[in-house]
Amino acid sequence: MAETKEEQVAWTPEEEKALVRKIDLKLIPWIMVLYLCSYLDRVNIGNAKVANQEVPGSSMEATLGLNSDQYSWSVAIFFFGYVIFEVPSNILMKVYSPSKWLARIMVTWGICATCMAAVSNFPGLLAARFFLGLMEAGSFPGFIYYYSFWYKQQEQATRVAIFFSMASIAGAFSGLLASAISFLNNKGGLEGWRDLTSDYFLTAYLLNKGLPSIIVGVFVYFLLPDFPQTELKWLSDRERHIAVNRMPPTAPSHLHKHFELHELKATLFDPWTWLFNFAYFCCVCPLYSVSYFNPTIIKNLGYVSYIAQLMTVPPYAAAFVWTIGLGLNSDRTHERALHVSASLVVGIVGFIMQLALDVQANTGAKYFGVFLATIGPFGTIPCINTFRTKTMRGTATSGAVATAAMVASGNIGGIVSPFLYPNWAGPQYKYGTITNIVLMGLGIVSMLILRQVYKDVEEGILVEGAASEEFEKKDGAVSA
């Protein structure tokens, strides 16, 4: 007998929990692999800088004839294309579907990563890094946006933390693999740094340079689910009905494929959008500072390059645990802003330790400062992204623009951070360290302001399912 309309609408908490677990198993592994690949390709240049510095003529700077400023530009140029294309990429993802668009990102960045091993001079390195950033643009905000089609806001921090923790795994894996590959220097006619910069997931010596990302991209095209409404094979009719109807009216929908200009204007002209963007910048700039310069900072403690590479692993392992734990507690308490602020405080303490302690007299304590300076920025990202999605109202255009604009603005930190740690400023790097301390302090202030602005949302007074009537208007300012 067919179900009545009332029976179709009603479902038990046990049914919903079982469905969420099923969605987790289908979605999360793919996003974890995608982000692991992308973060490896993005930050491995920091390990490449340190690789084989003791061997004359074998380091990346020596091979390509780079000075400190040129290295900084090589790091920063990635983010020019990355920042510019973030918002358009997120909008195009909702038009072409997540599986197709994320697969395109994977395949094209794999091709660009392959080119990194072939560069022979500074202009070539700039070109390869720029196009790597351009092709990878939209990946991280795309993952956040993609989750908003499947998960309620109170479910997202943990799941964002799980995939973002792959950045910590990538950092640890980079150190381990960089240390190993440094012993393969000049084997097979390649300097070790070339293998580090050319998509070395599972190692560039075993697989053709960009092949892993390209292969994963092909699988994503065919196997990644798109939207709850369109999944007919692995979701039953009942499961699909629950997956669609359990989401609040404010959640983006696959039906909103057309571009809403009034939502774009409303989101971009909302002043709180830009405070979110600034707060994210204050989190991301220190994060990229440690991602790109932890190997250099640790090497300056007095270790040879391959030992310094290995010693980058424990701080990233600690960041992995901290990020997951903070995300779990944030979802448990339904609170975001204070979790971001607490993680920033931890980071500030770490940077202060690096600034205040003498390199030779306090090596152990300064290394512990590296731990705190690493886990602090990493822990902020899942919670601040979930806080942002929690405040969004409207159709898919608003969600795509707000998420991508925040990530794009934050990743300007990737342009700034390479210039904060020039070679001549070592081993204390006072300028960069003080800058990151100030930024994290401003990030705390920004988060406390946003917590007050969105007090009803943070405290659960505003019911999650309450639709925003303002977005039904074609004109006028709208809160994103």
Side-chain angles (χ1 to χ4, degrees):
M1 186 175 69
E3 289 181 320
T4 65
K5 183 176 180 181
E6 289 74 19
E7 289 173 332
Q8 289 176 345
V9 171
W11 60 83
T12 66
E14 289 72 23
E15 281 184 291
E16 185 170 353
K17 288 180 181 178
L19 172 63
V20 172
R21 284 195 296 270
K22 188 174 184 178
I23 294 172
D24 286 343
L25 293 174
K26 191 73 174 180
L27 270 60
I28 291 177
W30 282 115
I31 302 303
M32 290 172 66
V33 172
L34 291 175
Y35 194 63
L36 175 63
C37 290
S38 71
Y39 206 80
L40 278 171
D41 289 338
R42 188 183 315 176
V43 303
N44 51 27
I45 193 171
N47 295 93
K49 179 178 184 288
V50 173
N52 300 116
Q53 283 188 346
E54 296 84 6
V55 183
S58 293
S59 69
M60 182 177 69
E61 291 174 309
T63 303
L64 302 181
L66 303 180
N67 58 39
S68 180
D69 288 341
Q70 287 174 328
Y71 170 78
S72 296
W73 278 111
S74 301
V75 175
I77 196 69
F78 171 94
F79 293 95
F80 283 88
Y82 191 83
V83 168
I84 291 170
F85 203 54
E86 290 278 57
V87 173
S89 178
N90 244 25
I91 292 173
L92 289 170
M93 191 181 81
K94 78 184 181 73
V95 174
Y96 290 104
S97 81
S99 61
K100 293 181 176 62
W101 192 249
L102 292 176
R104 192 284 305 164
I105 291 175
M106 287 290 294
V107 171
T108 54
W109 99 45
I111 293 171
C112 290
T114 302
C115 298
M116 291 290 292
V119 300
S120 58
N121 51 38
F122 175 55
L125 182 61
L126 283 181
R129 289 282 297 175
F130 173 80
F131 283 104
L132 182 65
L134 187 67
M135 294 301 103
E136 193 179 319
S139 55
F140 184 77
F143 302 151
I144 302 292
Y145 184 43
Y146 176 56
Y147 273 179
S148 68
F149 289 99
W150 289 91
Y151 294 110
K152 295 179 180 179
Q153 287 139 356
Q154 68 263 31
E155 298 167 343
Q156 291 179 17
T158 300
R159 287 156 181 87
V160 173
I162 290 172
F163 90 71
F164 183 73
S165 67
M166 290 298 99
S168 307
I169 297 297
F173 187 58
S174 296
L176 288 171
L177 197 55
S179 181
I181 288 180
S182 66
F183 290 99
L184 299 176
N185 185 47
N186 290 323
K187 302 294 192 302
L190 292 177
E191 297 89 357
W193 71 263
R194 294 187 185 274
D195 297 302
L196 290 174
T197 57
S198 54
D199 196 347
Y200 55 27
F201 182 58
L202 292 181
T203 180
Y205 269 90
L206 298 179
L207 294 171
N208 186 33
K209 308 306 177 187
L211 188 60
S213 294
I214 295 171
I215 291 175
V216 172
V218 173
F219 278 105
V220 164
Y221 184 90
F222 292 104
L223 299 178
L224 184 72
D226 284 317
F227 309 102
Q229 297 88 342
T230 61
E231 295 305 315
L232 304 178
K233 294 182 179 180
W234 64 281
L235 290 179
S236 67
D237 291 343
R238 176 69 172 172
E239 290 171 332
R240 191 166 60 255
H241 170 80
I242 298 172
V244 173
N245 289 281
R246 78 189 195 93
M247 299 299 289
T250 54
S253 169
H254 79 299
L255 299 175
H256 300 134
K257 288 185 178 292
H258 56 286
F259 178 71
E260 298 286 355
L261 181 60
H262 71 284
E263 287 195 13
L264 171 66
K265 292 179 179 178
T267 302
L268 293 181
F269 283 97
D270 182 354
W272 305 123
T273 290
W274 293 99
L275 188 58
F276 263 114
N277 295 352
F278 176 71
Y280 198 67
F281 171 82
C282 293
C283 298
V284 171
C285 190
L287 186 149
Y288 279 123
S289 294
V290 299
S291 296
Y292 286 121
F293 293 101
N294 265 0
T296 300
I297 291 170
I298 294 173
K299 186 178 185 300
N300 284 337
L301 296 179
Y303 301 99
V304 296
S305 60
Y306 77 92
I307 295 295
Q309 304 277 23
L310 289 174
M311 291 184 68
T312 63
V313 175
Y316 285 117
F320 173 82
V321 175
W322 176 261
T323 301
I324 296 290
L326 205 67
L328 285 167
N329 195 64
S330 179
D331 272 350
R332 183 183 65 81
T333 61
H334 297 180
E335 198 286 323
R336 315 300 181 186
L338 294 181
H339 283 73
V340 176
S341 300
S343 203
L344 288 172
V345 169
V346 172
I348 288 173
V349 173
F351 279 109
I352 289 176
M353 291 179 68
Q354 291 188 43
L355 180 66
L357 298 175
D358 181 77
V359 173
Q360 295 179 339
N362 300 280
T363 301
K366 200 173 181 74
Y367 182 55
F368 182 67
V370 173
F371 272 77
L372 298 183
T374 302
I375 69 175
F378 271 85
T380 65
I381 304 303
C383 295
I384 192 173
N385 275 281
T386 307
F387 188 17
R388 188 66 185 107
T389 60
K390 196 175 182 181
T391 64
M392 293 187 303
R393 298 290 182 267
T395 70
T397 298
S398 171
V401 172
T403 304
M406 187 179 79
V407 175
S409 299
N411 276 288
I412 295 174
I415 298 174
V416 174
S417 61
F419 298 96
L420 299 180
Y421 291 79
N423 290 343
W424 55 262
Q428 291 292 89
Y429 300 103
K430 291 182 179 180
Y431 174 71
T433 305
I434 291 173
T435 300
N436 283 323
I437 291 171
V438 171
L439 286 175
M440 297 177 89
L442 292 173
I444 293 172
V445 173
S446 300
M447 292 311 301
L448 294 179
I449 293 173
L450 288 167
R451 186 176 190 273
Q452 188 62 33
V453 170
Y454 292 101
K455 186 176 181 180
D456 290 349
V457 175
E458 276 282 76
E459 295 182 355
I461 299 172
L462 180 62
V463 178
E464 182 184 9
S468 174
E469 298 178 356
E470 296 164 304
F471 267 116
E472 297 178 1
K473 301 176 183 177
K474 295 297 182 183
D475 299 300
V478 184
S479 174

